[in-house]
């Protein structure tokens, strides 16, 4: 009898079952996964850390709820990259399968919490844009920094609670139920519920952005038709539209990167996956890192405030480098090296 028939109940929930999920059979596949994870993970951590620094180093940006939500997105992407890369590479490359079921579910919960928080942060940003466009006169009253921090706290607690359910008992070992083919010890019903949660978040984000763009388009058309003089409110409207378009680009990248993974997850619930499809799922999982890596690039290219802060940081860095080269100590060191030569 094949011990790697994953659709078994609790009798297959031993630690030895982990061997069945190691689908990378050749050294070339393992090296490819390690290279992709190392490259994307490193760039993701660096870029999102830079975004956090740019936001919180500027008094103007760190006071705005919009950038607090973007900060939450950057933090979630950093945590997701660190936890995902360390656990994924450790499992598939170094063949570490001797840790307990609880330890594996804890790592999986960390990855789910981070990626869920990333998506939920996009939803909060979408709602922020929705309010700023639909009710601009009441925006400052409806969206304060205090409310933004409360919303972020509820977001992270909710995502952590949902991600911790398998560790708390909703797994196929405890319930003696059908196990997932893609994740050890994970109940198929939990995986279905998590996919529904993600799809609801995506649906809400798409609806909010579509409505915001529609309202913005109507506003711009009205101004052009009646030749309304551009004032302070219209300037803010253009800035909101600019940020909304930026976040639509972020959402597009999110959907493109997550679609293959979600499709395979849904497919695995209804039918048995071949070894080839499970290998495809392993490589498609790295697209989640691509999503987290591309988001900061979009911010830097589309957000005028972040772009100006980035230019200021580079200017200060160049001035410091030039000052260190022109300092007397540097000249003395240069003369000493010339004399020795």
């Amino acid at each position: 009898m094949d011990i790697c028939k994953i659709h078994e109940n609790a009798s297959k929930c031993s630690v030895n079952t982990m061997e069945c999920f190691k689908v990378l059979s050749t050294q070339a596949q393992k090296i490819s996964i390690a290279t992709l994870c190392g490259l994307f993970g490193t760039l993701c951590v660096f870029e999102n850390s830079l975004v956090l620094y740019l936001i919180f180093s500027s008094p103007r940006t760190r006071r705005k709820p919009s950038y607090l939500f973007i900060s939450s997105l950057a933090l979630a992407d950093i945590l997701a990259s660190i936890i995902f890369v360390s656990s994924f590479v450790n499992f598939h490359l170094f063949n570490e399968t001797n840790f307990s079921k609880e330890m594996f579910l804890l790592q999986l919960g960390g990855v789910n919490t981070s990626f869920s928080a990333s998506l939920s942060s996009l939803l909060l940003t979408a709602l922020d844009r929705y309010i700023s466009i639909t009710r601009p006169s009441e925006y400052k009253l409806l969206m304060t920094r205090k409310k933004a921090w409360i919303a972020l706290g509820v977001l992270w607690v909710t995502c952590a609670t949902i991600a911790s359910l398998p560790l708390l008992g909703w797994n196929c070992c405890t319930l003696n139920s059908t196990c997932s083919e893609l994740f050890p010890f994970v109940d198929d019903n939990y995986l279905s519920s998590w996919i529904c949660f993600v799809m609801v978040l995506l649906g809400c984000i798409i609806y909010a952005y579509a409505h915001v763009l529609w309202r913005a388009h109507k506003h711009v058309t009205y101004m052009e038709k009646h030749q309304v003089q551009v004032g302070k409110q219209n300037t803010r409207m253009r800035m909101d539209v600019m940020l909304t378009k930026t976040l639509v680009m972020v959402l597009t990248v999110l959907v493109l990167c997550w679609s293959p993974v979600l499709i395979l997850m849904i497919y695995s619930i209804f039918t048995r996956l071949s070894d080839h499809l499970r290998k495809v799922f392993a490589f498609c999982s790295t697209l989640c890192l691509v999503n987290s890596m591309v988001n900061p690039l979009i911010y830097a290219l589309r957000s005028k405030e972040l772009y100006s802060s980035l230019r200021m940081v580079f200017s200060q860095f160049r001035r410091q480098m030039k000052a260190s080269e022109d300092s007397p100590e540097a000249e003395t060191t240069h003369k000493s090296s010339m004399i020795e030569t």
Side-chain angles (χ1 to χ4, degrees):
M1 182 178 180
D2 186 6
I3 64 171
C4 286
K5 290 181 178 179
I6 309 301
H7 270 296
E8 295 287 347
N9 292 338
S11 59
K12 297 296 183 182
C13 284
S14 64
V15 177
N16 293 331
T17 310
M18 302 279 286
E19 296 289 339
C20 305
F21 292 86
K22 294 162 58 175
V23 295
L24 303 181
S25 55
T26 65
Q27 193 68 19
Q29 293 173 353
K30 295 180 180 180
I31 294 176
S32 299
I33 282 288
T35 303
L36 292 175
C37 288
L39 177 62
F40 296 153
T42 302
L43 290 176
C44 178
V45 171
F46 172 75
E47 292 171 1
N48 284 284
S49 299
L50 181 59
V51 168
L52 288 177
Y53 173 77
L54 293 177
I55 291 175
F56 286 98
S57 62
S58 172
R60 184 173 57 179
T61 55
R62 67 168 175 258
R63 286 196 300 263
K64 295 184 177 181
S66 303
Y67 287 101
L68 289 179
F69 299 145
I70 292 177
S71 300
S72 175
L73 176 63
L75 177 61
D77 287 338
I78 291 174
L79 294 177
S81 300
I82 294 174
I83 301 173
F84 176 82
V85 170
S86 60
S87 58
F88 194 77
V89 171
N90 193 40
F91 181 81
H92 286 288
L93 189 63
F94 298 107
N95 302 324
E96 290 292 337
T97 59
N98 56 353
F99 42 81
S100 63
K101 176 191 71 176
E102 289 74 18
M103 181 59 66
F104 176 82
L105 292 178
L106 180 62
Q107 292 179 352
L108 183 63
V111 174
N112 285 346
T113 298
S114 303
F115 281 128
S116 299
S118 176
L119 190 59
S120 300
S121 298
L122 273 177
L123 176 58
L124 287 182
T125 310
L127 294 176
D128 175 75
R129 295 300 90 204
Y130 180 86
I131 295 173
S132 68
I133 294 292
T134 57
R135 306 174 71 175
S137 60
E138 305 175 30
Y139 173 75
K140 290 186 177 181
L141 294 176
L142 294 175
M143 188 59 67
T144 61
R145 293 185 73 250
K146 182 179 179 180
K147 292 180 180 179
W149 282 111
I150 293 175
L152 289 175
V154 173
L155 178 156
W156 280 91
V157 170
T158 302
C159 292
T161 302
I162 294 175
S164 301
L165 292 178
L167 183 62
L168 297 176
W170 193 355
N171 56 73
C172 58
C173 304
T174 304
L175 301 177
N176 194 26
S177 56
T178 304
C179 297
S180 170
E181 291 189 1
L182 296 174
F183 306 100
F185 314 125
V186 173
D187 180 61
D188 258 350
N189 292 326
Y190 171 79
L191 183 60
S192 303
S193 301
W194 188 81
I195 292 173
C196 291
F197 172 67
V198 171
M199 298 300 289
V200 168
L201 289 178
L202 284 174
C204 293
I205 294 172
I206 292 173
Y207 171 79
Y209 282 153
H211 192 80
V212 165
L213 290 177
W214 176 70
R215 290 291 296 266
H217 176 72
K218 284 187 61 178
H219 181 83
V220 173
T221 303
Y222 176 83
M223 288 195 306
E224 292 177 351
K225 182 178 179 180
H226 298 275
Q227 296 181 350
V228 178
Q229 185 177 1
V230 178
K232 182 178 180 181
Q233 183 175 357
N234 293 329
T235 302
R236 190 182 68 180
M237 174 69 74
R238 291 204 312 272
M239 292 177 62
D240 289 337
V241 172
M242 181 70 175
L243 184 55
T244 301
K245 291 180 179 180
T246 300
L247 296 169
V248 167
M249 295 175 63
V250 173
L251 177 62
T252 303
V253 174
L254 176 74
V255 173
L256 291 177
C257 291
W258 274 84
S259 293
V261 174
L262 291 175
I263 290 173
L264 288 174
M265 284 183 182
I266 296 173
Y267 186 70
S268 69
I269 295 174
F270 297 100
T271 186
R272 184 177 178 82
L273 295 180
S274 63
D275 290 340
H276 175 70
L277 284 179
R278 291 167 65 194
K279 290 180 181 178
V280 171
F281 177 79
F283 279 92
C284 287
S285 299
T286 59
L287 290 176
C288 302
L289 292 176
V290 176
N291 168 65
S292 299
M293 180 188 68
V294 171
N295 286 347
L297 297 178
I298 299 177
Y299 303 150
L301 293 177
R302 298 283 299 179
S303 174
K304 292 183 178 179
E305 292 176 316
L306 291 184
Y307 183 71
S308 61
S309 298
L310 182 61
R311 291 184 61 182
M312 187 180 301
V313 169
F314 282 135
S315 298
Q316 292 176 352
F317 179 75
R318 285 197 298 267
R319 285 197 298 267
Q320 290 178 357
M321 291 294 295
K322 186 177 180 180
S324 62
E325 292 177 357
D326 296 340
S327 63
E329 294 181 359
E331 293 180 1
T332 303
T333 304
H334 179 69
K335 291 179 180 179
S336 301
S337 61
M338 290 292 293
I339 293 173
E340 290 178 359
T341 304

